[in-house]
Amino acid sequence: MRMYDIIQKKRDKEELTKEEIEYFVSEYSADRIPDYQASALLMAIYLNKLTLNELAYLTNAMANSAYKLDLSMLKREDRYIIDKHSTGGVGDKVTLIVLPIVASFGVEICKMSGRGLGITGGTADKLESIVGYDVNMPLEKAIEQVKEIGLCLISQSGDIAIADKKLYALRDVTATVESTDLIASSIMSKKIASGAEKVLLDVTAGSGAFMKKVEDAKILANKMVELGKLAGIETRAVITSMDEPLGRCVGNSVELKEVISFLLSDEDRLFADDIKDLREVVFEVAAQMIKLAGFGDDIEINKDAIAKSIISGSAYDKFIELVKAQGGKVQNVHLDEYDTDVEMPVLKDEVSYLKEITAEANGTIVSIDGGKIGEALVCLGGGRNKKEDIIDSAVGFEFKKKVGDSVREGEVILNCLFNDKNKFNEAFNYIKDAITISYVDDEKINELQGKPYILDII
Ligand code: URA
């Protein structure tokens, strides 16, 4: 078999065979195919797309390219081993909130999460803003931890789906990341190799996500659900809105603070209007995961139980158990708001500067472009341009206003936390461009304030 012939076939829109795709994946993983030929094939796939058969062959070949995690020791009668994946976005801290909630129901989860690249942040980076938290725990130790406390949250193991790791790095420098076929096979190869029986996907859509259009997010979701089915893994996808940043905070430490505040909520705080977007996504994703795991078939009943788990403190207790088990430092803190003492993670959150960004005119905020806010975070050093970049955990943004809010000239829209004035100047151009304020009528304000965050369930 020759790589040249495989490239030519895909260039000419012919269907590749299982053997040809397996040849490409195994030879490229073993460094026997040069990057220039792999790049040519990736571009041919990007332009000419894959059939469902080709997509399934590619996904399985990538899943088989290294170690497959065996989680069967966690299996219990009438219960399922589940996993979750988000296609990522700006301000996406959903995994960090959902996992302790779901684990507080007794669902056991061994979760591997990626690092951030470009505008989308990574859960592993966010966890590293906790002093001492070890995301690089070996898999055997992680499984032991799941047996003890029901949960682990570690960084994606380098031993899982090695082909994806190599191919993703190549896609990143050859303008071939944004292909629904390549994204679907990349994500599902890792899910198949990660040992779960059922998977919940949070597929984000909007300016702060990979998929800018909802239709593209649905195409991606359908492909992943189909790939899951072909691999014998029940897969559900929730399509969520990622136009403006999710929640109030963007940046590693500030997002952790938002996670802590969410999990510590009492009833009034949990159902407050200002956390509506985050609450809706968290409740839907968690309720679907509880159902997949076999812990409750009725989504609305699951949502009531989720609220109880948060209000009673059991989700927060699980979160602290996780942080401590993975070496994270905690300290006792008095919460004036609730007049109580709690254990709280110690964060790498010291910054040199705080700048209030204010409204330049009176009106209503009609959009906050998540993509541009993500770019601004990268400028401050809170995200990565290249894989090797080191993240500054402390920098970020705290939004005081969101889309649909009215503002007066000079009123604070967000606080920017940073350590380097030159980086702030660069970031400021993106922030300015990201926020649009206009005069709009009441009907438009109602539409902006009532926009849905759960766009579809597949
Ligand atoms: N996340 C992945 O794991 N792979 C992609 O290709 C895109 C997002």
Side-chain angles (χ1 to χ4, degrees), residues 117-405:
L117 188 61
I119 61 162
T120 60
T123 301
D125 295 319
K126 289 174 198 184
L127 283 166
E128 281 186 340
S129 60
I130 301 173
V131 174
Y133 191 103
D134 179 15
V135 292
N136 298 315
M137 189 181 260
L139 284 171
E140 308 75 54
K141 207 170 153 210
I143 292 171
E144 282 312 306
Q145 182 179 306
V146 178
K147 285 191 203 152
E148 275 164 37
I149 68 161
L151 181 60
C152 76
L153 223 172
I154 56 174
S155 138
Q156 181 72 47
S157 161
D159 298 337
I160 300 275
I162 283 172
D164 175 63
K165 212 171 174 193
K166 279 198 80 185
L167 285 171
Y168 192 88
L170 193 59
R171 285 166 57 205
D172 201 33
V173 291
T174 55
T176 50
V177 168
E178 295 90 351
S179 143
T180 48
D181 289 328
L182 295 175
I183 295 175
S185 53
S186 162
I187 291 174
M188 290 311 289
S189 65
K190 286 176 286 202
K191 295 296 108 182
I192 293 169
S194 299
E197 296 170 288
K198 302 193 180 197
V199 172
L200 192 280
L201 302 168
D202 177 358
V203 182
T204 49
S207 67
F210 269 114
M211 298 291 115
K212 307 293 175 209
K213 295 197 214 123
V214 179
E215 306 84 74
D216 291 338
K218 287 187 187 175
I219 292 170
L220 175 62
N222 274 306
K223 283 184 182 174
M224 293 195 285
V225 168
E226 197 59 38
L227 285 172
K229 208 191 314 171
L230 290 172
I233 296 174
E234 186 182 333
T235 307
R236 296 222 94 194
V238 181
I239 315 278
T240 60
S241 171
M242 187 53 82
D243 250 334
E244 68 176 321
L246 187 66
R248 295 263 158 181
C249 295
V250 179
N252 295 285
S253 278
V254 283
E255 286 189 45
L256 240 305
K257 284 186 189 168
E258 195 174 12
V259 167
I260 292 166
S261 158
F262 192 102
L263 289 171
L264 279 171
S265 299
D266 63 6
E267 189 163 1
D268 289 346
R269 180 80 204 108
L270 186 59
F271 290 100
D273 239 21
D274 64 343
I275 60 167
K276 182 168 178 253
D277 58 344
L278 189 55
R279 179 179 63 243
E280 285 193 13
V281 177
V282 162
F283 274 47
E284 189 65 47
V285 169
Q288 295 285 352
M289 286 175 76
I290 289 163
K291 179 172 176 175
L292 282 179
F295 281 70
D297 270 346
D298 187 309
I299 292 294
E300 292 313 311
I301 293 177
N302 291 353
K303 287 184 185 173
D304 288 343
I306 288 164
K308 286 198 185 102
S309 151
I310 296 167
I311 294 162
S312 70
S314 76
Y316 186 74
D317 290 346
K318 189 52 79 179
F319 173 71
I320 291 296
E321 217 180 335
L322 169 75
V323 169
K324 286 189 191 165
Q326 293 198 214
K329 189 169 172 191
V330 298
Q331 64 187 2
N332 281 325
V333 171
H334 184 75
L335 295 180
D336 293 339
E337 200 183 347
Y338 303 124
D339 191 21
T340 180
D341 290 329
V342 292
E343 284 186 303
M344 203 176 274
V346 179
L347 301 174
K348 301 172 192 166
D349 61 353
E350 273 189 35
V351 279
S352 309
Y353 306 101
L354 184 155
K355 172 96 181 154
E356 293 179 333
I357 313 276
T358 57
E360 289 179 344
N362 294 344
T364 298
I365 300 183
V366 290
S367 66
I368 301 176
D369 186 304
K372 290 186 180 143
I373 297 296
E375 296 285 3
L377 185 70
V378 174
C379 291
L380 292 182
R384 286 190 187 82
N385 273 317
K386 302 185 297 309
K387 261 198 348 276
E388 311 74 45
D389 290 348
I390 295 182
I391 291 230
D392 183 345
S393 297
V395 298
F397 310 110
E398 292 165 341
F399 282 84
K400 303 293 167 196
K401 300 280 177 186
K402 296 267 289 178
V403 169
D405 286 345

Side-chain angles (χ1 to χ4, degrees), residues 79-153:
R79 301 286 195 247
Y80 299 93
I81 298 163
I82 58 160
D83 198 357
K84 161 191 191 283
H85 187 89
S86 164
T87 55
V90 176
D92 182 358
K93 69 272 301 169
V94 174
T95 296
L96 291 167
I97 302 177
V98 157
L99 257 54
I101 294 174
V102 173
S104 76
F105 281 69
V107 180
E108 290 175 313
I109 309 176
C110 180
K111 170 88 179 95
M112 282 181 263
S113 282
R115 297 205 175 263
L117 188 61
I119 61 162
T120 60
T123 301
D125 295 319
K126 289 174 198 184
L127 283 166
E128 281 186 340
S129 60
I130 301 173
V131 174
Y133 191 103
D134 179 15
V135 292
N136 298 315
M137 189 181 260
L139 284 171
E140 308 75 54
K141 207 170 153 210
I143 292 171
E144 282 312 306
Q145 182 179 306
V146 178
K147 285 191 203 152
E148 275 164 37
I149 68 161
L151 181 60
C152 76
L153 223 172

